[in-house]
Amino acid sequence: MSDTTVVDTRPTKIMYVAEATAHGGRDGYVTSQDGQIGLKVAMPPALGGDGNGTNPEQLFAAGFSACFHNALVLVGRRAGFDLTGSMVAAKVGIGPNAQRGYGLAVALSVSLPVLDQTLASQLVDAAHEVCPYSNATRGNIDVTILLG
């Protein structure tokens, strides 16, 4: 597939809808409709805040890492591998973009200690095609995947 090929990754059927509400933006709190999330939100010190709360970038990093790891376990299982002991960590950076707004960049660090580098790389590539976060961000933000 060439880089100019557009692949439609939109869902054909919605199986679950998450609901969350922000109150006060980056200096407030966030809640989920089911009560599972109730968190204070604060600007991180690097952006001029006090850091006394979580922030959208941390929440995005948590969601992306969990989702990508699940996709990795799924493709591993489909290929006949048990990926117990694997791990995915995410770093989400934020900064100004050329359009006078802000943009994100993601670095995923994947640990697959039970597999050789070639096989691990193939599974990571397959997970990157399956993961909804990967599909949603592809072409919109830089996503770097480090395999170690």
Side-chain angles (χ1 to χ4, degrees):
M1 176 167 48
S2 74
D3 291 343
T4 60
T5 302
V6 176
V7 177
D8 186 356
T9 60
R10 294 175 296 176
T12 58
K13 174 183 175 186
I14 300 296
M15 298 170 60
Y16 169 73
V17 174
E19 295 181 47
T21 303
H23 311 265
R26 286 182 172 269
D27 285 311
Y29 62 99
V30 292
T31 59
S32 63
Q33 170 271 335
D34 63 3
Q36 293 296 315
I37 296 175
L39 299 170
K40 181 177 176 3
V41 180
M43 287 281 252
L47 297 179
D50 63 17
N52 289 325
T54 191
N55 60 67
E57 293 71 38
Q58 288 175 328
L59 296 171
F60 190 72
F64 205 151
S65 63
C67 189
F68 193 89
H69 193 226
N70 194 70
L72 186 62
V73 169
L74 174 69
V75 299
R77 187 175 359 161
R78 287 178 179 168
F81 298 100
D82 178 2
L83 300 185
T84 299
S86 62
M87 184 178 62
V88 176
K91 292 182 180 180
V92 174
I94 184 172
N97 64 22
Q99 286 72 42
R100 300 183 62 196
Y102 290 85
L104 300 175
V106 174
L108 298 175
S109 297
V110 179
S111 174
L112 289 167
V114 297
L115 300 176
D116 69 63
Q117 191 75 12
T118 301
L119 180 56
S121 181
Q122 291 170 349
L123 292 178
V124 165
D125 289 347
H128 195 41
E129 296 301 316
V130 170
C131 175
Y133 276 65
S134 293
N135 288 328
T137 59
R138 188 172 289 111
N140 299 312
I141 66 173
D142 290 334
V143 176
T144 304
I145 302 176
L146 309 167
L147 183 55

